[in-house]
Amino acid sequence: MYGINKDPRSSDQSDDKHNEIAMIKDDKTALTRRKTALTRRRFIQTGFALSAGTAGSLAFNNAQAQFDSQGNLLVAPWTKKTGSDFLTPPYGVPSKYEKGVVRILPTPAAAFPTASRTPLQNLYGIITPNGLIFERHHAGVPDIDPDAHRLVIHGLVDRPLMLTMNDLVRFPSVSMIYFLECSGNGSAELKKRTGTTVQETHGLLSCCEWTGVRLSTVLAETGVKSSAKWLLAEGSDGAAMTRSIPMQKAMDDALLVYAQNGEMLRPEQGYPLRLFLPGYEGNTNIKWLRRLKLGTEPWQTREETSTYTDLGAGGKALQFTFEMGVKSVITQPSGGMRLKQAGFYEITGFAWTGAGKIRSVDVSIDGGKSWDQAALQEPVLNKSLTRFRYPWMWKGEPTVLLSRASDSSGAIQPTVDEVLKLRSANSVYHNNAIQPWLVTANGEVSNGR
Amino acid sequence: MYGINKDPRSSDQSDDKHNEIAMIKDDKTALTRRKTALTRRRFIQTGFALSAGTAGSLAFNNAQAQFDSQGNLLVAPWTKKTGSDFLTPPYGVPSKYEKGVVRILPTPAAAFPTASRTPLQNLYGIITPNGLIFERHHAGVPDIDPDAHRLVIHGLVDRPLMLTMNDLVRFPSVSMIYFLECSGNGSAELKKRTGTTVQETHGLLSCCEWTGVRLSTVLAETGVKSSAKWLLAEGSDGAAMTRSIPMQKAMDDALLVYAQNGEMLRPEQGYPLRLFLPGYEGNTNIKWLRRLKLGTEPWQTREETSTYTDLGAGGKALQFTFEMGVKSVITQPSGGMRLKQAGFYEITGFAWTGAGKIRSVDVSIDGGKSWDQAALQEPVLNKSLTRFRYPWMWKGEPTVLLSRASDSSGAIQPTVDEVLKLRSANSVYHNNAIQPWLVTANGEVSNGR
């Protein structure tokens, strides 16, 4: 949990606290000289300005090097001894200093929490580590013996089929990096400010490299009757989560996924098998998948009638609004963080769209009066999170930070007011509005909804 | 651990063992009919042939659906109850059924094991999950307080500098997917067969999305004197691992990395800071990085004189052979696995090169008599693992499986005999030879070195 965060231990404190900095004797004087000078030097005098395309100064916490009474360098205590041996079990875990980087349950605490959120403010790049991927389950996480698990495919097929996991992993496979977002992500924010941190407002979002079999490959085995227009997908969890999916999507880029980020699915992600529908709302990506039935019409299940529908401004509800809209959010700096001093900061965050690729992300550092294009980290992938970065020189003024994404379909991320022109404030899905972050003169960052 | 593996529980056994398969009544007869028919039907009759570009048959373990005495479907036990709640702590872990998928220490057991190996045979896609990334340390894993950690940059610079982690994360950052391979990976195999599984022969290999600061960006802050030609990188572990790096590499694509696969570095990967040199031998990617010194000549440290040099066939040793050669290996099927029956299998594995991008991977299913091009999973990235796939119809014959990669520099992966023309069999680094896997008539797969 680094840089602009809530960590009460400022670097200045730690500079005083820790005196075991390894240094080279002949640099002692030089470093003493630099201590104050560095806080004034401007990046524009250096290659940094060229690389970041902006002027700015970064106030280095450049502590005095520590030496003993004879002027010999002091070595860090961990350098003086042998470190820890291999872990038992040998599956790695994060550093104990990162114990605050975890998924959280909703706040205010729900009576029956059914989702945990990803700490977006602590993520780097586009891959979400498997231990931090958001969870949404409707009857808890089932404990499934993969050898006992079966996928049944029936209905309007030529050859109904039941497959074991051993069958499925023998099909030709593909690996794709795709985002996954709950359609309820940030929906409460449509009505009013509810979250403090980006984890609370946008944390039902993750991105993985998913590996599995194209559903079209498996359906080629069963054969598909021409009358089949919809697919029923059913989970084997206690909720038997069930959704109707258009056959067009099933035959396009739908996957039967058994692995994420290189290893088998985590239990809360559908172990041993889930449906994956790139760009579609999270709920349709049925976990613990046990059954696919082909039919002529949607089944009008609970999860596509009483829930997961979009309440329009006119009071009518829309069904089957699967695709996630173009969206972005600044994750650093974001709500709950504090800018410790004026100077240079890299504004960074995520952009994504169910429609294809992110085309551009604009950032505003003045509450929307002006916009400037952020840099997109390559490769920019289809239906994946895209990491954007924008160099910012903060002079200590109160302001509002915004990001606005556009995608390959030409869609542009709307403001919350634009969303509310089409959608009732009681609507609880598909809020892809621009997220404002307020910055006060003392550097406090908060939710500007 | 799926498909063609050592799991003693075959699917047929599990079909008999488990009788709680959820099925739809009106499919009972149909499924009974299909049970035997499916084992004979050929992919060439279906869309699969088009998608995989080959004929073949996949012997489905298509068990009889189970019904109660009234002919009603039986539901899986985990569907009849609420699943488990959120984890405490809320950091996710793999399924208990995957407990065999872990890093291993060298076999035969070393007196003082200093490396653990990645289970390549169980990986999917190109990302190695953080819990399975291979380890190599020379004095154990130090327990570093990130607030107390410092990076010192001195020597032939205009402005020596000491940076805290808070300073480093405020620099403009980049995220890149790169492979990391120990130069000793598979080196013992140069002399004779030593490993049974691909984890044993090639497991000092991983691939992550790394996030950090370009070293050139930080060196723009210190200024670099024109006389600087080499960089000394020093770790703060008990071994104070130290290597000399050409300034050209430092200014090209070298990174100061603090995050991997979305979260902060794991302790065994250098938490909180490591040097990352894309395509260079693992040992040069100094972990727990505490010091960079610029100079005119290499420092001739222990790790570039008595070790990490290449012993030539003529008895002379080469120093500073940093770049990892073009290499590939088939991970499925691989040593220790068993093909349960004739039929279709997807041959898959990794290809990588320190020189740039993988251009192509050829696979031989007949011991090298003929070669055919494998499919490369997009995106094919610079200095990253590349996943290749090749559809194979095994008719039950004994054979040898091989893969051979070529890269964007025009280099082609050599045979072990070709490596030994240049290198002594006592050489213990940079073995990038083609790996043969023997397949017997009963489907046993073993190391063909």
Side-chain angles (χ1 to χ4, degrees), chain A residues 15 43 62 150 162 172, chain B residues 15 43 48 62 150 162 221:
Chain A
D15 290 343
F43 274 130
N62 199 46
R150 297 292 183 276
M162 179 164 64
Chain B
D15 291 342
F43 274 133
F48 171 81
N62 200 48
R150 297 293 182 274
M162 180 163 64
E221 283 304 301

Side-chain angles (χ1 to χ4, degrees), chain A residues 160-270:
Chain A
L161 199 60
M162 179 164 64
L163 298 170
T164 65
M165 288 306 299
N166 274 314
D167 296 332
L168 281 162
V169 297
R170 286 183 57 193
F171 276 87
S173 60
V174 294
S175 300
M176 308 290 286
I177 296 176
Y178 289 130
F179 78 86
L180 181 68
E181 183 184 22
C182 175
S183 54
N185 196 26
S187 57
E189 295 279 313
L190 202 52
K191 191 177 240 170
K192 64 180 203 312
R193 178 188 317 162
T194 61
T196 300
T197 69
V198 69
Q199 183 170 15
E200 291 166 359
T201 60
H202 291 71
L204 299 174
L205 171 72
S206 295
C207 184
C208 295
E209 182 191 38
W210 306 94
T211 296
V213 189
R214 289 198 182 286
L215 180 52
S216 58
T217 302
V218 175
L219 290 177
E221 284 303 300
T222 64
V224 175
K225 295 192 187 298
S226 58
S227 55
K229 296 286 178 275
W230 287 79
L231 175 82
L232 182 75
E234 180 183 68
S236 66
D237 59 324
M241 175 56 57
T242 313
R243 289 294 303 262
S244 304
I245 308 299
M247 278 304 294
Q248 189 180 354
K249 181 67 172 180
M251 300 305 282
D252 175 15
D253 58 1
L255 302 176
L256 298 175
V257 158
Y258 44 79
Q260 64 186 126
N261 292 339
E263 62 190 352
M264 289 292 283
L265 288 171
R266 293 295 177 88
E268 64 270 27
Q269 294 304 323

Side-chain angles (χ1 to χ4, degrees), chain A residues 77 97 160 201 217 265-266 273 299 302 359 363 378 404 421:
Chain A
Y97 299 100
T201 60
T217 302
L265 288 171
R266 293 295 177 88
L273 186 69
W299 280 257
R302 175 182 181 280
R359 187 180 58 191
V363 167
E378 293 292 340
R404 181 181 62 197
K421 280 183 191 148

Side-chain angles (χ1 to χ4, degrees), chain A residues 78-83, chain B residues 139-140 142 236-241:
Chain A
W78 42 79
T79 308
K80 296 174 181 170
K81 60 185 181 186
T82 304
Chain B
S236 65
D237 59 322
M241 174 57 56

Side-chain angles (χ1 to χ4, degrees), chain A residues 2 11 15 27 43 48 62 79 83 96 98 139 143 146 150 154 162 166 170 172-173 221 271 341 346, chain B residues 2 11 15 27 43 48 62 79 83 96 98 139 143 146 150 154 162 166 170 172-173 221 236 271 341 346:
Chain A
Y2 261 91
S11 291
D15 290 343
D27 288 328
F43 274 130
F48 175 90
N62 199 46
T79 308
K96 68 185 184 190
E98 300 300 313
D143 174 15
R150 297 292 183 276
H154 66 118
M162 179 164 64
N166 274 314
R170 286 183 57 193
S173 60
E221 284 303 300
Y271 183 86
Q341 64 274 305
E346 182 174 71
Chain B
Y2 262 92
S11 293
D15 291 342
D27 289 329
F43 274 133
F48 171 81
N62 200 48
T79 308
K96 68 186 183 190
E98 300 300 314
D143 174 14
R150 297 293 182 274
H154 66 118
M162 180 163 64
N166 274 316
R170 286 182 57 192
S173 60
E221 283 304 301
S236 65
Y271 182 87
Q341 65 272 304
E346 182 175 71

Side-chain angles (χ1 to χ4, degrees), chain A residues 164-421:
Chain A
T164 65
M165 288 306 299
N166 274 314
D167 296 332
L168 281 162
V169 297
R170 286 183 57 193
F171 276 87
S173 60
V174 294
S175 300
M176 308 290 286
I177 296 176
Y178 289 130
F179 78 86
L180 181 68
E181 183 184 22
C182 175
S183 54
N185 196 26
S187 57
E189 295 279 313
L190 202 52
K191 191 177 240 170
K192 64 180 203 312
R193 178 188 317 162
T194 61
T196 300
T197 69
V198 69
Q199 183 170 15
E200 291 166 359
T201 60
H202 291 71
L204 299 174
L205 171 72
S206 295
C207 184
C208 295
E209 182 191 38
W210 306 94
T211 296
V213 189
R214 289 198 182 286
L215 180 52
S216 58
T217 302
V218 175
L219 290 177
E221 284 303 300
T222 64
V224 175
K225 295 192 187 298
S226 58
S227 55
K229 296 286 178 275
W230 287 79
L231 175 82
L232 182 75
E234 180 183 68
S236 66
D237 59 324
M241 175 56 57
T242 313
R243 289 294 303 262
S244 304
I245 308 299
M247 278 304 294
Q248 189 180 354
K249 181 67 172 180
M251 300 305 282
D252 175 15
D253 58 1
L255 302 176
L256 298 175
V257 158
Y258 44 79
Q260 64 186 126
N261 292 339
E263 62 190 352
M264 289 292 283
L265 288 171
R266 293 295 177 88
E268 64 270 27
Q269 294 304 323
Y271 183 86
L273 186 69
R274 82 180 296 169
L275 180 65
F276 199 91
L277 303 174
Y280 270 27
E281 59 185 8
N283 177 259
T284 62
N285 296 261
I286 300 295
K287 297 188 283 191
W288 314 293
L289 185 69
R290 75 169 189 172
R291 187 162 72 96
L292 296 170
K293 183 173 188 175
L294 280 59
T296 58
E297 299 291 339
W299 280 257
Q300 304 295 346
T301 70
R302 175 182 181 280
E303 307 298 331
E304 56 207 24
T305 50
S306 76
T307 64
Y308 294 99
T309 61
D310 291 345
L311 185 59
K316 274 193 172 177
L318 287 174
Q319 279 184 291
F320 309 122
T321 55
F322 298 113
E323 190 175 288
M324 299 306 290
V326 60
K327 192 170 175 180
S328 72
V329 66
I330 294 169
T331 57
Q332 289 195 42
S334 59
M337 295 181 177
R338 189 174 67 81
L339 309 181
K340 289 167 184 164
Q341 64 274 305
F344 176 83
Y345 293 92
E346 182 174 71
I347 293 173
T348 182
F350 296 115
W352 65 101
T353 173
K357 292 186 178 183
I358 289 296
R359 187 180 58 191
S360 66
V361 177
D362 293 329
V363 167
S364 176
I365 57 174
D366 57 13
K369 287 195 277 298
S370 67
W371 295 85
D372 193 11
Q373 203 167 74
L376 304 185
Q377 176 72 64
E378 293 292 340
V380 174
L381 301 171
N382 184 48
K383 300 173 185 178
S384 163
L385 289 188
T386 295
R387 168 68 63 173
F388 67 86
R389 298 184 170 96
Y390 185 80
W392 178 41
M393 175 59 187
W394 184 52
K395 300 187 178 61
E397 73 281 11
T399 189
V400 180
L401 304 177
L402 307 164
S403 67
R404 181 181 62 197
S406 70
D407 69 22
S408 50
S409 77
I412 299 174
Q413 184 177 8
T415 63
V416 69
D417 292 338
E418 288 168 337
V419 173
L420 287 172
K421 280 183 191 148

